[in-house]
Every structure is written in C-alpha cells, then in structure tokens.
Amino acid sequence: MPTRDAAALRREAARAYDAYLASCPARQLVDRISDKWVTLILPALADGPQRYSDLSRRIAGVSQKMLTQTLRSLERDGLVTRHVTPSVPVRVDYELTPLGLSLMPLIACIKDWAETHMDQVAAARQDYDSASSTTGAKV
Amino acid sequence: MPTRDAAALRREAARAYDAYLASCPARQLVDRISDKWVTLILPALADGPQRYSDLSRRIAGVSQKMLTQTLRSLERDGLVTRHVTPSVPVRVDYELTPLGLSLMPLIACIKDWAETHMDQVAAARQDYDSASSTTGAKV
DNA sequence: CAGGATCCGATATGATACTG
DNA sequence: CAGTATCATATCGGATCCTG
C-alpha cells in the first residue's frame, strides 16, 4: 500500500522540518515579533519604564491575560525586566533591556518597508479582487 | 451597574483599536510575514521561478491546502506571480515580483538580528527557567 | 494593583478525498 | 499536475471570577 507509506513519510518529514524550524533563529524571532501584542508592548515601553496599569491603559483592547502572558514571555526572553516594589498596593514596573532596545531599529526597518510599499500591496489587492470578480468568482 | 459599563467600554475600545490596527501598514506587513509559510515560500522563490510541485517538495511538511492558500494570498498582495501553462498536464509556475523581491533585504535584516542576538535570548530563557525552578515553580 | 485559574468560542491548520 | 471541498482538532484569545 504505497499510499500509506507516502503519507507516513510526509508526516515524518513534516515533523523533522518542524524540529529544524524550531532551531532556526530567524524563525524564532519572527515567531516572537509576530505576536500581536509584542509589537504593541515593545514600542509602548520604548519611552521608558511603564507600570502594568499604564500599559494596560495605553494599549487599549488588551486583556489582562494577554498583557500578563506577553510580558512574561518577553521577560523570559530577556527583552524586558520586571521590577516589583513591595508597597501597598504593590507596584510593578516593566522596562526594556538593552537587548529589547536593540530590537527597536529592526522594528523601525519593518515599519519603513511597510510605509514605503504597503500602498503597492493595497493596490495589488484591489486589482486582484476586481479581476476575480470580473471573471465570475464569487464576491 | 458600573461594571457592565466598564466592560462595554473596554469592548468598544478594543474594536476601535482593532480597526486602527487594521489600517496600520506596519501591522499589516507583520501579519503577512508572520505567516509560517510565507517566510518559507518567499526565500524558496528567491532562486527563481518554481513550479507548484517543486515548492511542495522543497518546503517539506507543507500541506497542499496551506501551500495553495499562501501562494494565493501572496499573489493577491502582488508579491508573487502565477503563470499557468495550459499543457497536459497543466504546469503552473510561481515567481517573485519586484515587490516581492524588495522584501528579501528586510527578511535578511530579520535573519541578521536573529543570528546576532537569539543566543542571548536563549541564554535569558535558560536563566529564567532555572531561576523559577529554584523558587519552587513547577517545571 | 497586579495577576492567577478556568471556561468557552473563534480561528487556523492539517488530514483526507475528489476533480479538470 | 495542480488544485478544491470537507471534516476534525488544536491553539489562541477573551470574559469572568478570585486572591495576596
């Protein structure tokens, strides 16, 4: 039954590839910055240290769950520091590390490309969509 | 019932923010390149035009569904072209557009930062994980 | 104030089967 | 060969309740 074998082989290949990807630094970085909240939190921290509640207010629409979870992962990755002041009530400040700061130019690069080329992308999308509606595709 | 109102306000803010984000070019770009398969397909096409089956073979572990879907979205965004040769059986070639090509330096930038700094990230993770296991957190 | 725990629905992705 | 269509599921993110 060659079909089964082919499927099994493909699955194995997929697993191996996943493992390879997991070890790829660029892949890991992309995974990190592709997180919706990461790209919002890092710039928010670029101005300087922020309290948890400040972040929560500045980044409208983030749930505590996501804010906490994202901050934790950023802390784990050494991109931000978490400083607890044991007052009553407690106060927690988050701040970019030098490593986190070094990421900002890259974010600027991305922003740059986006602002230069995304209008072309938008135009291409319009073309594509109007063309397919012409050829009878469902809208 | 102030609690209801606060929750409702937050939801509205979240919606508004989502709308704002959707209009942000950088956000759109990040969304695009954050796609697992996009970052695999684009480099695969950097060498020159590739047939569907070639891509499918080069990118081990991609399902036809994801390959087709990703290629379609890239075509829609004007990053790749799709050229059909109506032979029997049909032959379809995908190729990077100039716009798609212009994205490669950015990908190189990302790769660059990753290769320079991801070891620090990895180290930070180890520190973080060993520290939390010391303080009695569950492993 | 900051965040842990839990439940639940939306979305994304993969496997599988079928087609021009 | 190059897809399309359908189904199952896994993960993500949000809402909600609770605590030091």
Side-chain angles (χ1 to χ4, degrees), chain A residues 43-66:
Chain A
L45 285 171
D47 304 344
Q50 303 276 328
R51 298 185 57 173
Y52 181 90
S53 48
D54 290 335
L55 286 173
S56 156
R57 230 169 295 112
R58 282 184 61 158
I59 307 174
V62 66
S63 62
Q64 332 138 335
K65 178 184 175 178
M66 279 302 102

Side-chain angles (χ1 to χ4, degrees), chain A residues 4-66:
Chain A
R4 284 299 291 268
D5 293 333
L9 280 174
R10 197 159 46 239
R11 264 192 299 278
E12 274 179 50
R15 244 195 309 280
Y17 210 66
D18 272 353
Y20 161 69
L21 286 179
S23 73
C24 170
R27 202 34 286 137
Q28 292 175 42
L29 174 60
V30 170
D31 280 347
R32 195 102 284 306
I33 62 176
S34 71
D35 189 290
K36 177 181 177 182
W37 303 116
V38 167
T39 45
L40 294 172
I41 292 177
L42 288 184
L45 285 171
D47 304 344
Q50 303 276 328
R51 298 185 57 173
Y52 181 90
S53 48
D54 290 335
L55 286 173
S56 156
R57 230 169 295 112
R58 282 184 61 158
I59 307 174
V62 66
S63 62
Q64 332 138 335
K65 178 184 175 178
M66 279 302 102

Side-chain angles (χ1 to χ4, degrees), chain A residues 49-115:
Chain A
Q50 303 276 328
R51 298 185 57 173
Y52 181 90
S53 48
D54 290 335
L55 286 173
S56 156
R57 230 169 295 112
R58 282 184 61 158
I59 307 174
V62 66
S63 62
Q64 332 138 335
K65 178 184 175 178
M66 279 302 102
L67 184 54
T68 301
Q69 183 176 304
T70 308
L71 285 168
R72 283 284 186 284
S73 70
L74 290 174
E75 187 196 359
R76 187 171 105 99
D77 289 352
L79 299 175
V80 308
T81 55
R82 176 170 178 269
H83 184 247
V84 182
T85 308
S87 53
V88 178
V90 285
R91 169 198 178 111
V92 182
D93 289 271
Y94 291 91
E95 185 175 8
L96 279 180
T97 64
L99 185 60
L101 209 55
S102 78
L103 197 52
M104 301 307 292
L106 180 59
I107 294 183
C109 275
I110 294 175
K111 196 180 160 204
D112 205 52
W113 194 96
E115 290 177 348

Side-chain angles (χ1 to χ4, degrees), chain B residues 4 8 10 17 26 38 63 75 77 79 108 111:
Chain B
R4 284 299 292 268
R10 197 160 47 239
Y17 210 65
V38 167
S63 61
E75 187 196 359
D77 288 352
L79 298 175
K111 195 180 162 202

Side-chain angles (χ1 to χ4, degrees), chain B residues 39-57:
Chain B
T39 45
L40 293 172
I41 291 177
L42 288 183
L45 285 171
D47 305 344
Q50 303 275 329
R51 298 184 58 173
Y52 180 92
S53 49
D54 290 335
L55 287 173
S56 153
R57 229 169 294 113

Side-chain angles (χ1 to χ4, degrees), chain B residues 20-37:
Chain B
Y20 161 69
L21 286 180
S23 73
C24 171
R27 189 62 263 143
Q28 293 175 40
L29 173 61
V30 169
D31 280 346
R32 195 101 289 299
I33 63 177
S34 71
D35 188 291
K36 177 180 176 183
W37 303 116

